[in-house]
Each structure stands twice: as structure tokens, then as C-alpha cells.
Amino acid sequence: QRKATHAAGLVQAVLNADTAQVPAIIGEIAEYRKWADPLLRDAAAQAEASKDARKQLHASLALLPVDATQVQYLYGRLLDATPNEVPVIRDALAPHKDELLDKLWAVVETPDKGKESQRLRAAASLAKYDQDSAKWDKAQEVIANDLVGVPAVYLAAWLESFRPVRAKLLTPLRAIFREAGRR
């Protein structure tokens, strides 16, 4: 009974936490999976029905270690995530990176019309998953252009995400900053 109660508390904590705090709470849930997983599934269904995107994201992140069906949902959320959510979702999806690489590169190379902002999110994931790919040579210029267009308040989060490929982005960023008349 004590473990069930503790599991219920952890589930509530994961649902109500800031997204950056979710991975640490998920680590605590590991030994309480027997009790927590049914609660997380119920919470995910309720969040989906009530259109509570944050709780649905948190429940899905917590279920991912034991439920690979969460990968598709989290991949979709990654592409539309806020800059602060991107590293959390990216890191959670890392064990599934091999099945996502081609899809992420497709978004970087040719994003859907009107969804160009997804390119930066996909590239931020690839910076961790596939930093040695030759595809960066073709993508670096467009990624650098996307980076200089982000609001300054999010710049630190994006820069941290792109740290593994920073050397690949330096040349196009230098060229952008040297352009006369560019804001």
C-alpha cells in the first residue's frame, strides 16, 4: 500500500512538474512501475481527452521507457516543441534515434510548407544523434539562418542544443554576421 501511494505521488509530481524536471522524476518512478504505469496510462488518456498538452507530454515521457508506442507521439511533439522542451524530448527519444534519423533529416532537408520552424527542432535532435553525418555540410547554412532568426530569449537553449555541431555552424554564422545591412 505504501508503494502504491508513493507511486501515485510520483505520477502527480511528473504531471505537474516543469518539463525540465520530468526526467529526474521518471528516474524515481522506475522501482514503482507496477503501480505507476496504470496511473500514467489513465493520466495520458485523460490529458488527451481534455487537450492538456503538457500533461499528455509528461505522461508520455514517463511511459516511454516501458512503452515504445509513445515514440510516434513524442516525435510529433518534438517537431512542435518549445525550445525548452526540445532537449527533454530529444534525450528521452535517444534510445530510439536509429528509427528517427531518416525522418529527422527529411525535416531538415525539406520541411513541409508552413512548418519550417520544425527544421530547427529536428536539427537540434540530429546535433545529438548524428553529429558526424556528412549531411551537415548541406544543412549548415540553412540551420545557421534559422538560428539567427530565433528570439533572443530562446537563444541560450538553442545554442546549448547545437553545441555538438558548433564547429559546423561557425562558418555560415560568420558569413551571416559579416553581411552588411542584415539585421
Side-chain angles (χ1 to χ4, degrees):
Q1 181 65 24
R2 196 171 60 228
K3 287 186 176 186
T5 302
H6 190 67
L10 289 172
V11 168
Q12 284 307 307
V14 84
L15 295 174
N16 296 321
D18 288 333
T19 303
Q21 298 170 324
V22 168
I25 300 168
I26 292 170
E28 292 180 47
I29 289 176
E31 65 182 276
Y32 299 95
R33 283 281 174 194
K34 175 180 171 182
W35 301 277
D37 289 350
L39 298 173
L40 287 166
R41 285 187 178 83
D42 289 345
Q46 288 173 1
E48 184 178 7
S50 67
K51 307 240 187 282
D52 188 335
R54 187 175 65 81
K55 284 187 179 181
Q56 187 177 3
L57 171 62
H58 293 188
S60 184
L61 287 166
L63 285 168
L64 181 63
V66 294
D67 182 2
T69 64
Q70 301 300 319
V71 171
Q72 276 310 109
Y73 168 75
L74 289 170
Y75 169 75
R77 277 300 297 268
L78 172 69
L79 295 179
D80 294 316
T82 66
N84 296 328
E85 292 172 339
V86 169
V88 174
I89 300 171
R90 176 203 62 205
D91 292 350
L93 287 172
H96 306 276
K97 70 180 180 180
D98 292 336
E99 66 189 84
L100 299 175
L101 286 178
D102 290 338
K103 290 170 27 174
L104 290 166
W105 276 117
V107 171
V108 168
E109 292 166 350
T110 53
D112 291 340
K113 184 105 171 135
K115 297 191 176 197
E116 290 81 7
S117 65
Q118 291 182 343
R119 178 176 38 230
L120 202 56
R121 287 146 179 83
S125 297
L126 289 166
K128 180 168 185 166
Y129 300 164
D130 200 19
Q131 63 262 30
D132 297 324
S133 174
K135 294 180 181 183
W136 282 103
D137 294 338
K138 287 174 48 180
Q140 64 188 359
E141 194 171 316
V142 71
I143 297 302
N145 276 312
D146 287 351
L147 269 175
V148 298
V150 300
V153 70
Y154 298 123
L155 194 55
W158 287 120
L159 291 177
E160 187 58 35
S161 290
F162 284 100
R163 184 174 299 280
V165 293
R166 68 184 174 272
K168 294 174 184 354
L169 298 174
L170 285 177
T171 301
L173 285 171
R174 278 189 200 110
I176 289 168
F177 286 113
R178 287 186 181 135
E179 280 182 38
R182 182 162 179 160
R183 294 180 73 194

